[in-house]
Amino acid sequence: MKKTTGLDRSKTAKWRPATRAVRSGTWRSDHGETSEALYLTSGFTYDSAQEVADRFAGEASGMQYSRFQNPTVAMLEERIAAMEGAEACKAQASGMAAMTSALLCMLSQGDHVVAARAAFGSCRWILANVLNRFGITHTVVDGRDNAAWEAAVQENTKVFFFETPANPTLDIVDLEFVCGLAKSKGITTVVDNAFATAALQRPLEYGADVIAYSATKLMDGQGRVLCGAVCGSEQWVNEYLSPFQRNTGPVCSPFNAWVVMKGLETLDLRAHRQSENALAVGKFVEERVERVLHPGLPSFAQHNLAMKQMDACGPIFSFIVPGGRAKAFAVLDALELVDISNNIGDAKTLACHPASTTHNNMGEEGRAEMGVEEGMIRINVGLEDPQDLIEDLDQAFVKAGI
Ligand SMILES: *Cc1c(COP(=O)(O)O)cnc(C)c1O
């Protein structure tokens, strides 16, 4: 196979992110195909016994087994690494496989994690129900509060873990401050970048160490496959992530990798258009309900910080309808164009009630602490004409008596 662009930094380093999303990590076979090939194979064959021995000894490069590497998955990994500005990337079966691998591969008994409280429900679950069983403790902080990060650091703190913007309150973490604080104390920062993706925000530029992804969301972008990815330095990936993943097996299927790779080719276009659409729809919703949580709106408390570290505001926002769960359900049930779905990042506009779905397993107290109110609706704005979305929400508000 010819690596036409690969991770040859002399070539890709000067490309802008949109170009990397289309071109990086393209390996062509002798056929010279334009679209990346899909290698649906679990194993590989060798010309000699010595050749396979050399590969297992790490003395020769080449594929061995698709739990270790696969050409299609490797292409996706190179493309994501190039987009993120990372030295290395490994793809996983899902976003949660990525989060779990990123944390478990480097944490040991007695270690401590500081995490932002506004987070994807399962991320909080891992901290409380997996890591704690192995003697890894954590402190949850308000991710917006720089002083809280500083105050939560202990002698045994190994990792800062957060997403920004966060699900579903859109809380923004100050990347420059928090990553800088971690650096000064030798702490590894793990950022879940699923809401923004490299098209809108590149945390490594602010000093983050590890980027963990649900590629299921904006990266695929069309609601087709589950996929995850973790990016970091070559040394971190080789020392921690690769051996963990190779032996525990939460790997990405070649088919899913191929689908996501094709999704990445339109990511820049989609992420920017969906951000524009979200802003248009958000401005309309702001006229109808009192509170809209959307980083792109000047009314958002952290609007300036969001715009400093993001290229655009992203497709997702939340709003709170008066009247709690019953009214939120009434709005959702009255929607005709927008689908009720807990997924995000899709080209289709989707709305859900976080308190009863994505954040159901946190319990009432956890939700209250995180600001996930009963009247909250989260919306992922897709690629439809925003005027059609506004008209649909308008009729749903009217039907629900808002
Ligand atoms: C969806 C999501 C995840 C989990 O990803 P899956 O691909 O569903 O496993 C993690 N973090 C964030 C912010 C997400 O939106």
Side-chain angles (χ1 to χ4, degrees):
M1 274 171 90
K2 280 183 290 193
K3 283 194 181 193
T4 57
T5 56
L7 266 189
D8 180 352
R9 300 223 176 268
S10 63
K11 276 189 189 167
T12 62
K14 65 177 194 292
W15 289 347
R16 288 154 191 87
T19 307
R20 294 181 198 179
V22 179
R23 289 284 178 169
S24 289
T26 298
W27 305 3
R28 290 195 169 124
S29 77
D30 292 342
H31 299 298
E33 63 279 352
T34 42
S35 173
E36 295 73 11
L38 172 49
Y39 290 90
L40 277 181
T41 182
S42 48
F44 301 87
T45 60
Y46 313 90
D47 288 337
S48 70
Q50 189 58 50
E51 188 188 336
V52 57
D54 288 347
R55 288 191 196 180
F56 272 80
E59 286 158 12
S61 63
M63 305 286 155
Q64 294 149 275
Y65 188 56
S66 282
R67 177 152 43 77
F68 307 168
Q69 339 79 353
N70 171 281
T72 309
V73 177
M75 284 191 264
L76 173 70
E77 291 168 343
E78 283 201 5
R79 186 167 292 181
I80 293 175
M83 289 169 65
E84 208 63 52
E87 287 176 5
C89 171
K90 294 295 283 178
Q92 292 79 23
S94 69
M96 286 324 301
M99 303 304 152
T100 310
S101 301
L103 295 170
L104 270 183
C105 77
M106 67 173 148
L107 287 166
S108 302
Q109 188 175 18
D111 288 345
H112 174 251
V113 178
V114 182
R117 72 180 175 202
F120 191 69
S122 294
C123 293
R124 292 282 303 269
W125 191 90
I126 292 175
L127 294 171
N129 298 288
V130 180
L131 297 188
N132 75 317
R133 287 200 287 118
F134 299 95
I136 300 157
T137 54
H138 71 280
T139 304
V140 169
V141 298
D142 180 340
R144 299 167 297 185
D145 183 353
N146 288 349
W149 287 97
E150 209 154 8
V153 174
Q154 303 176 5
E155 228 155 67
N156 56 343
T157 303
K158 287 281 156 59
V159 166
F160 279 178
F161 180 43
F162 61 86
E163 56 187 71
T164 181
N167 186 15
T169 51
L170 287 303
D171 285 4
I172 306 290
V173 173
D174 185 335
L175 284 170
E176 195 169 2
F177 177 86
V178 175
C179 297
L181 173 66
K183 274 250 170 341
S184 74
K185 298 191 181 291
I187 295 166
T188 302
T189 308
V190 179
V191 182
D192 177 343
N193 200 29
F195 265 43
T197 77
L200 303 181
Q201 172 177 276
R202 289 162 300 281
L204 291 178
E205 292 172 2
Y206 292 88
D209 300 296
V210 175
I211 312 298
Y213 269 112
S214 170
T216 313
K217 311 294 171 51
L218 256 184
M219 285 188 173
D220 169 26
Q222 287 150 88
R224 299 166 295 193
V225 296
L226 289 170
C227 185
V230 177
C231 302
S233 70
E234 200 117 36
Q235 193 210 340
W236 184 85
V237 169
N238 289 340
E239 191 174 334
Y240 295 106
L241 183 63
S242 282
F244 179 88
Q245 187 162 327
R246 178 183 172 124
N247 292 296
T248 60
V251 296
C252 176
S253 97
F255 178 77
N256 290 8
W258 183 85
V259 171
V260 171
M261 193 156 35
K262 303 320 283 178
L264 290 179
E265 293 179 0
T266 56
L267 175 64
D268 189 74
L269 198 61
R270 289 183 287 103
H272 283 95
R273 175 63 80 88
Q274 288 181 238
S275 295
E276 277 169 35
N277 289 358
L279 200 53
V281 175
K283 280 181 180 153
F284 161 77
V285 174
E286 201 169 36
E287 289 167 15
R288 301 293 283 271
V289 304
E290 226 164 84
R291 270 187 307 145
V292 179
L293 304 173
H294 188 19
L297 292 172
S299 60
F300 188 69
Q302 296 178 289
H303 172 68
N304 290 340
L305 175 61
M307 292 302 104
K308 178 189 137 194
Q309 56 193 42
M310 299 176 74
D311 296 345
C313 59
I316 299 143
F317 68 91
S318 297
F319 56 94
I320 292 103
V321 297
R325 182 178 292 214
K327 265 290 199 261
F329 276 22
V331 171
L332 289 171
D333 291 342
L335 291 166
E336 291 173 357
L337 167 62
V338 177
D339 293 304
I340 300 173
S341 172
N342 46 288
N343 201 7
I344 54 169
D346 202 292
K348 294 186 170 69
T349 299
L350 310 172
C352 84
H353 180 248
S356 60
T357 58
T358 52
H359 292 70
N360 176 49
N361 70 2
M362 303 202 58
E364 212 169 308
E365 212 173 290
R367 285 194 294 276
E369 175 207 72
M370 227 169 106
V372 181
E373 297 178 38
E374 285 293 323
M376 179 184 277
I377 291 174
R378 185 193 71 191
I379 186 160
N380 164 73
V381 178
L383 291 171
E384 303 93 337
D385 188 311
Q387 196 50 41
D388 288 326
L389 300 170
I390 288 169
E391 286 170 21
D392 190 34
L393 281 162
D394 184 33
Q395 65 81 28
F397 285 147
V398 170
K399 255 191 215 143
I402 287 169

